[in-house]
Amino acid sequence: MKKSRGAESLSEQDEQQTKPSKPGNSQTMSRRKFLRNSGYAVGGVVLGGVLGYLLPKRETPPAAPAPEQDENNYNQALMFFNQEQYRITEAAVERIFPADENGPGAKELGAAFFIDHQLAGDWGFNARDYMQPPFYVGEKTQGYQGRLRRREIFYIGLREIQNYSQKKYQKDFPSLAPEEQDAVLTAFQNDEVKLTTISASGFFNLLRSSTLEGVYSDPLYGGNKNMQGWVMRQYPGNQMAYTNIIDKDFTVIPPKSLKDHL
């Protein structure tokens, strides 16, 4: 019977494993190396990858430590916004959650990146919401009842913030003084800006809630840079266990991200 290529490799390794070692032969295959190599033979990438991960390759010298990187730099690429939309969002979230003596603001914490990433995914498409007609004006307790998805609401809302700023101050929103930016956002919050496609206050409330989520969400999602949002709240983040402090008084412990457990 013709053997498969994988079976041949495994058979040869079994034979090599059972051969007596010669004195001074540094190439003798250890059990660890046999398991790792046989994983590649019979399991392909999946089994080999698992075994290679679980069993350290001691014969390989350790790699040099990687240079220090920003905690969130793997997420710092725009996925939905263009540069203008991002600058407007970044300026707006900073006025909603500004830096003060307690810690950094939404801009430094990366809330605009968080919103950008969310709009590019299921949340931006309202993938888990029922979005079929008929559409009626619902009660406030019913939540959003419109046909537009969040990414479309942001697209319109950011454009209207820019238009209102140009009309009122003859400047782009990011170029306004902080008190002028506050006045623009307050006008949206109070529905003083009359829009035909979306509710101005509805957009502001969506922007505000998204800002707070970006400030306090796990850094894995693009915001809460270096977990500083959690540090301000003394929130421990995603800890594996609390057994070492469960019987003690309140203890401030360094927060951990989901990324720390990957």
Side-chain angles (χ1 to χ4, degrees):
M1 180 177 70
K2 187 176 180 181
K3 295 181 179 179
S4 67
R5 186 173 182 180
E8 290 175 348
S9 300
L10 182 57
S11 177
E12 292 170 1
Q13 291 174 10
D14 275 326
E15 183 179 355
Q16 186 174 359
Q17 173 69 11
T18 55
K19 283 184 180 180
S21 60
K22 296 181 181 179
N25 184 1
S26 61
Q27 300 300 320
T28 301
M29 182 177 291
S30 67
R31 180 174 179 81
R32 177 177 281 102
K33 189 172 182 181
F34 166 72
L35 287 171
R36 184 168 61 248
N37 289 350
S38 63
Y40 283 112
V42 300
V45 175
V46 175
L47 181 57
V50 171
L51 289 172
Y53 174 74
L54 295 177
L55 304 175
K57 301 181 181 181
R58 293 186 176 178
E59 63 274 19
T60 303
E68 291 188 9
Q69 298 180 358
D70 186 281
E71 180 74 17
N72 280 22
N73 68 348
Y74 61 97
N75 264 342
Q76 301 302 288
L78 294 179
M79 302 174 66
F80 174 75
F81 290 143
N82 59 35
Q83 289 295 326
E84 181 185 33
Q85 292 167 335
Y86 172 73
R87 286 193 294 269
I88 298 170
T89 303
E90 190 177 52
V93 300
E94 181 65 14
R95 297 315 305 157
I96 292 172
F97 193 95
D100 59 17
E101 66 277 3
N102 296 313
K107 178 179 179 179
E108 185 177 343
L109 290 170
F113 274 110
F114 169 84
I115 295 173
D116 169 78
H117 288 32
Q118 295 303 304
L119 291 173
D122 288 349
W123 185 79
F125 284 99
N126 293 66
R128 297 187 179 184
D129 299 334
Y130 183 79
M131 298 291 291
Q132 300 300 319
F135 298 102
Y136 299 104
V137 178
E139 300 295 330
K140 290 185 177 180
T141 55
Q142 293 179 298
Y144 178 66
Q145 300 290 310
R147 68 178 69 242
L148 296 176
R149 286 164 171 77
R150 293 185 185 97
R151 57 194 288 127
E152 297 166 331
I153 294 173
F154 263 88
Y155 181 85
I156 297 170
L158 294 176
R159 183 188 65 202
E160 294 299 341
I161 282 181
Q162 189 78 318
N163 290 342
Y164 185 78
S165 301
Q166 286 284 355
K167 181 179 179 180
K168 187 173 180 63
Y169 298 105
Q170 294 75 51
K171 293 180 182 178
D172 292 340
F173 182 78
S175 301
L176 298 178
E179 59 273 12
E180 294 172 335
Q181 292 175 338
D182 289 347
V184 171
L185 294 175
T186 300
F188 272 75
Q189 181 182 21
N190 296 334
D191 275 324
E192 296 170 10
V193 184
K194 303 305 178 184
L195 306 178
T196 57
T197 50
I198 63 173
S199 161
S201 62
F203 169 66
F204 174 83
N205 291 333
L206 181 60
L207 176 62
R208 181 181 182 276
S209 62
S210 303
T211 299
L212 296 178
E213 289 171 8
V215 167
Y216 293 121
S217 66
D218 193 284
L220 187 68
Y221 302 106
N224 191 10
K225 185 177 180 181
N226 296 327
M227 294 178 283
Q228 287 303 301
W230 290 348
V231 170
M232 286 189 287
R233 307 291 293 184
Q234 297 183 342
Y235 177 66
N238 190 275
Q239 301 286 333
M240 295 297 288
Y242 297 92
T243 53
N244 59 328
I245 61 170
I246 196 169
D247 56 348
K248 299 180 181 179
D249 294 334
F250 177 76
T251 304
V252 178
I253 56 178
K256 286 186 177 294
S257 164
L258 288 168
K259 178 175 174 287
D260 296 331
H261 307 310
L262 297 179

